[in-house]
Amino acid sequence: MNAITLLKTDHGNVDALFKQLEALRGKDEPVEKRRIVDHVIEQLSVHASVEEQLLYPALRERLDDQFPVLEALEEHHAAKLFLSELEKLPATTERFDAKVAVLIESIRHHVEEEESELFDLMREHFKGTELDALGEQMEAAKKTAPTRPHPMTPDQPPLQTLIAMPVAVLDKLITTGRKAVEDVINRGRAA
């Protein structure tokens, strides 16, 4: 899959989750909000990791002006801080919906810049076959990318690449444990 197509698909998937959250704003649906936010956290964590590992370094190699990539990295850092806070924040908390709204606004701004500025730079500086190869690499990297936000870990190779896989393994263990606990709690409620 072409890198631009892959990224647009990811953006669309996350925006669909955002629309679900916006429809729940102000409603007393903490379990559903938590479920959707957890899915957003996973999707954005994987997406950011893959961009940081592959896309942004590839762009930096070809660009004279590094500012667009550096700005994108800073936006990722801010998003990971938000995601990290949301991950720990109960959906019943008074400011949960507000924090979600600010995250959505921030991510939509990032996506808008990425789809206009960075995608144009990608089209300008990469051949079609290179975008295809990059897309394939990015798709493969998703399988071993962290699924939780880690705002204090490196966001550029080589350290980002070295840390991503062990962190992803730990993330998967944590997610599996959380789901097991949720299943036990849900079975207890049903009984």
Side-chain angles (χ1 to χ4, degrees):
M1 179 183 293
N2 178 290
I4 293 172
T5 304
L6 180 133
L7 295 172
K8 279 188 175 184
T9 300
D10 284 357
H11 294 165
N13 291 341
V14 169
D15 198 59
L17 293 170
F18 287 166
K19 288 176 182 168
Q20 291 175 34
L21 285 166
E22 288 169 331
L24 291 172
R25 186 176 297 150
K27 295 182 180 174
D28 187 24
E29 296 279 347
V31 173
E32 184 63 5
K33 288 177 185 178
R34 174 87 267 155
R35 184 190 69 74
I36 297 168
V37 165
D38 287 345
H39 197 56
V40 166
I41 290 169
E42 181 179 338
Q43 293 290 310
L44 289 176
S45 296
V46 169
H47 181 85
S49 178
V50 168
E51 285 184 335
E52 292 166 7
Q53 186 178 10
L54 297 165
L55 174 63
Y56 295 161
L59 271 171
R60 288 188 79 178
E61 286 179 7
R62 298 184 187 208
L63 298 180
D64 293 328
D65 179 7
Q66 300 291 302
F67 183 80
V69 176
L70 296 174
E71 182 183 14
L73 286 167
E74 289 305 318
E75 289 174 349
H76 276 207
H77 179 70
K80 287 186 268 186
L81 286 170
F82 260 112
L83 293 171
S84 180
E85 290 175 3
L86 273 170
E87 184 178 43
K88 297 172 186 85
L89 192 66
T92 54
T93 303
E94 176 183 50
R95 291 172 60 169
F96 187 85
D97 284 355
K99 191 169 287 289
V100 167
V102 173
L103 171 75
I104 291 171
E105 183 180 312
S106 174
I107 296 299
R108 284 184 172 151
H109 166 81
H110 175 75
V111 166
E112 183 181 319
E113 282 187 347
E114 195 168 84
E115 289 191 359
S116 60
E117 296 171 28
L118 289 183
F119 285 9
D120 287 346
L121 290 170
M122 290 168 69
R123 289 181 191 100
E124 181 182 335
H125 292 279
F126 293 90
K127 297 176 186 169
T129 55
E130 292 172 318
L131 288 172
D132 291 343
L134 183 59
E136 289 174 20
Q137 291 171 341
M138 291 169 72
E139 186 66 39
K142 285 182 173 191
K143 295 174 184 153
T144 57
T147 57
R148 298 176 51 245
H150 299 279
M152 299 313 192
T153 59
D155 61 7
Q156 299 179 66
L159 290 177
Q160 193 277 348
T161 307
L162 291 172
I163 291 173
M165 190 174 299
V167 167
V169 170
L170 182 60
D171 287 354
K172 287 181 186 0
L173 290 172
I174 290 169
T175 301
T176 300
R178 282 184 180 164
K179 287 181 181 176
V181 169
E182 286 174 15
D183 288 346
V184 169
I185 291 170
N186 289 336
R187 279 190 228 125
R189 287 180 184 157

